[in-house]
Amino acid sequence: MATVSKVSDKWILIIDDMEGMRSQLRMSLSSSGFAKLHVVANIREALARLSANHYDAILCDYSLGDSTNGQQFLEYLRTADLINRNTIFVMITAEQSYAKVVAASECAPDDYLLKPFTAAEFNIRFEKLLNRQEYFTAIDQASDKKNWPRLIAECDKLLANRDKYFFDLCKIKGAALLRDNQLQLAEALYREVIATRPLGWAKLGLARTLAKLGKKAEAEQLANEILVEMPQFMAAYDFLGNLLSESDNKKGALEVLMKAREIAPGTMHRIRELSTLAVSTGQPEIAEEIMRETLIKHKHSPVRQANDYAVLSRALVDQGKTEDALNVVQDARKIFTDNDSNVVLAVTESTVHHAAGNDELAHAALEKAMSTGDMASFSADALVAMADACFALGREEEATRLLNHAVQNNDEDATIKDKVHAVMVAAGKDASEATALIEASAAEVIKLNNEGVLKAQSGQLAEAIELLSEAADRLPNNLQILGNATLVIALDLVRNGKDPVKLAKCLAYRESLTKKSPSHPKLEQIDGMLKQLKA
C-alpha cells in the first residue's frame, strides 16, 4: 500500500447499506494508514457529508437499497459537479453483471471491485488509483476551475513524456480544446490519435469537432460508423440523437435514443431527452411510459428534478389526461420546495388548467410562477417555460419580454436561442419573426454594452458605471456585460481612489465572472488594476 505519509491526510467516504461491509472497509483502510474516514449507510447521509466535506476518494456499494444504485448516484454527483474531477470513485459490487453495466456507461467509476475481495487486493488497486490521482493533480485542478487554456498547457507538459497515460492525456486535452473552441487543433489531435490507434472516444471526439465546425453530414456519418463498430457505445447514441434533433430530425433522434434504451436503461439525461422528444414528435404515450417508470424506480433518489414531473404532466395533457396531469404536479410539490422547482411546477399547473379549459385557474397559476422573483433570478429554461404559458393564454407582450430577457442574459448560448425560436414557432409565429426577435434582442444588448464602453473611453466613468452596473444586475449571465462592468469600476478605483462601496461591487462582479468563466480574457486586466490599488 502507499506510504502512511501519503494516505494519512486523505479523506475517504464509504457508502454501504450493509453494516458488515462498512466495518470491513473501515478496518481495511485504517490498517493501511488512512485516518480520515466517514462511513454512511445511504445516499441521503452521503449527500449531507459531501455538502460539508471534500473527499479524496469515495467507496460506494452498487446496490444501496435506496431505489438509486451506486452507478446512478455517481452520474448524479458528476453531472451536478458535487465532486471534484480528481475525486476517486470506486464501485463495490457482488453482481457479476456489473461489468456489462460499466461497459455501456459513459459515466464510469475509476475502478470497481467484485465481492468478495481480500484486503491485499483492495490495497493494490487503491494504491494505483492514488498514484494516478497524484499524476493528474494539476490537470484536475485546472478542470475544476474550468480553466481550459491552463488544462491544455498542463496536458502538453505531460504528453511530452509519452508515458502510460499518453492516450488518457490526449482524451482530456481533446475535450478541453473543444470546450475552449480551438476546433482546428482538436480535429488535428483526434485524427492523430485515430491514425495511431482507432479508439472510440477519439472517433466520437472527431465527430463532435466536425459538428461544431458545421460539417454535420460528416459528423452524422462518422457517428453511425462508430455505432456499427461499437453498438454499446452509449455516448455515441447521445451525440447522434442530439445532432439529429438540432437538425430538426426529431423523429430520427427519438429512434436513436430508443435503440440506446434497448441496450441500457440510460442516464437521467438520456431519459429526459427521450421523453421530451417523444412529446415533441406527437408520441406522448412513450414519454408517459418512460418517465413514469423512471420516477417510480427513483422514488427516493436525488437524481429526480421537478422538470421530470413537468414532462410527465405534459405527456398526460397531450393525451387528454388532465386530472392525472394535475395529480403529478401535486405529487411533485410534496418533494420539491425550492424556488426554481416552484416556478416549473406552477407553470406546468397553468398549462394543465388551460388544457382543461380552466383559464382563470391557468392565469392564477402563471401569476404565482411569475411572482416568485424578478427576471434576473429565473433560469433561462424557466423564462422560456413561462413565455410558452403566456402565449397559450394570449399574454403575448409578457411572453415577448420574457424571451427577450432569456436571449440577452444568455447571449452566447445557442441552445437557449433554439428554445426561444421553438416556443415562438409553436405559438404560431412565423420562423422569420422568431429569428428577428432573437437578433433584435442580441443587438439591443450589444448596443448597450458598446455605449457603456464608449462612455468609459471618453472619460465618463460615472455614467459608464451606472449604465453597465444596471445591465450587469439585470443580466447576470451576460459575461460581456459583466466583464465590462467589473473593468470600468476597477478603472474608476485606480483613477479616482478607493471607494468601499465601489470596491465591494467590483469584487462581487469579479467573483461572479470568475465562477462563470475562470479563464475570461478580461480577468487579467481587471486583476492588474486591482493590484494597483494594493500598491
Side-chain angles (χ1 to χ4, degrees), residues 430-465:
D430 189 78
S432 60
E433 185 179 349
T435 300
L437 179 138
I438 293 168
E439 291 176 349
S441 298
E444 182 183 334
V445 79
I446 290 171
K447 180 181 177 183
L448 186 155
N449 177 72
N450 291 343
E451 184 180 347
V453 171
L454 286 173
K455 285 184 181 294
Q457 290 173 343
S458 65
Q460 298 174 276
L461 289 178
E463 292 85 347
I465 290 172

Side-chain angles (χ1 to χ4, degrees), residues 15 56-60 70-71 73-74 77-78 83 86-92 98 108-112 129:
I15 313 167
D56 298 287
I58 299 172
L59 312 181
C60 182
Q71 185 66 33
F73 186 49
L74 170 60
L77 292 178
R78 287 195 174 156
I83 55 176
N86 71 337
T87 299
I88 295 169
F89 195 104
V90 178
M91 199 75 71
I92 298 170
Y98 182 70
D110 296 287
D111 202 354
Y112 69 92
L129 291 172

Side-chain angles (χ1 to χ4, degrees), residues 104-164:
S105 175
E106 59 274 43
C107 193
D110 296 287
D111 202 354
Y112 69 92
L113 283 164
L114 289 174
K115 301 176 186 176
F117 53 84
T118 65
E121 181 185 0
F122 172 81
N123 289 343
I124 290 169
R125 300 271 284 275
F126 204 52
E127 180 178 9
K128 289 180 180 179
L129 291 172
L130 287 171
N131 288 335
R132 190 183 191 282
Q133 182 185 61
E134 186 173 341
Y135 181 93
F136 285 97
T137 295
I139 289 172
D140 291 336
Q141 289 173 347
S143 178
D144 287 336
K145 293 180 179 178
K146 296 181 173 55
N147 189 335
W148 312 124
R150 182 184 151 203
L151 188 154
I152 292 164
E154 294 293 346
C155 283
D156 286 338
K157 288 180 189 177
L158 297 173
L159 279 166
N161 301 326
R162 297 193 72 86
D163 58 20
K164 64 180 180 180

Side-chain angles (χ1 to χ4, degrees), residues 482-523:
L482 185 59
N484 281 330
T486 313
L487 185 60
V488 168
I489 298 173
L491 178 61
D492 180 84
L493 290 167
V494 169
R495 289 188 181 178
N496 300 317
K498 291 183 181 180
D499 178 303
V501 175
K502 289 180 181 176
L503 179 60
K505 176 172 281 194
C506 182
L507 293 175
Y509 283 164
R510 184 200 172 281
E511 182 181 2
S512 178
L513 183 64
T514 304
K515 285 181 179 178
K516 290 165 184 168
S517 179
S519 57
H520 195 279
K522 282 198 167 59
L523 281 171

Side-chain angles (χ1 to χ4, degrees), residues 292-425:
R292 195 185 288 281
E293 175 187 313
T294 300
L295 292 175
I296 292 172
K297 184 178 180 180
H298 296 292
K299 187 175 182 180
H300 303 293
S301 168
V303 303
R304 297 168 304 165
Q305 297 176 357
N307 199 56
D308 298 332
Y309 289 82
V311 171
L312 175 56
S313 179
R314 175 63 184 270
L316 292 165
V317 165
D318 286 359
Q319 296 175 77
K321 303 175 181 177
T322 53
E323 187 174 343
D324 285 350
L326 276 177
N327 288 335
V328 167
V329 174
Q330 295 308 318
D331 288 343
R333 284 206 167 103
K334 298 172 186 175
I335 305 165
F336 304 97
T337 57
D338 61 284
N339 199 54
D340 283 348
S341 296
N342 285 335
V343 170
V344 168
L345 295 174
V347 170
T348 304
E349 183 183 349
S350 175
T351 302
V352 178
H353 284 312
H354 176 65
N358 300 321
D359 277 1
E360 185 176 347
L361 292 176
H363 281 287
L366 182 56
E367 286 296 339
K368 182 179 179 181
M370 296 176 70
S371 66
T372 58
D374 57 26
M375 284 197 290
S377 68
F378 294 131
S379 68
D381 285 336
L383 289 168
V384 172
M386 285 190 286
D388 191 25
C390 283
F391 276 130
L393 294 171
R395 297 163 64 163
E396 293 202 6
E397 186 175 333
E398 289 172 283
T400 301
R401 182 166 54 88
L402 291 163
L403 295 178
N404 180 66
H405 191 277
V407 171
Q408 292 187 348
N409 198 28
N410 302 273
D411 63 318
E412 297 179 8
D413 193 332
T415 302
I416 295 303
K417 292 177 182 178
D418 288 343
K419 289 180 178 180
V420 168
H421 193 280
V423 162
M424 291 192 69
V425 171

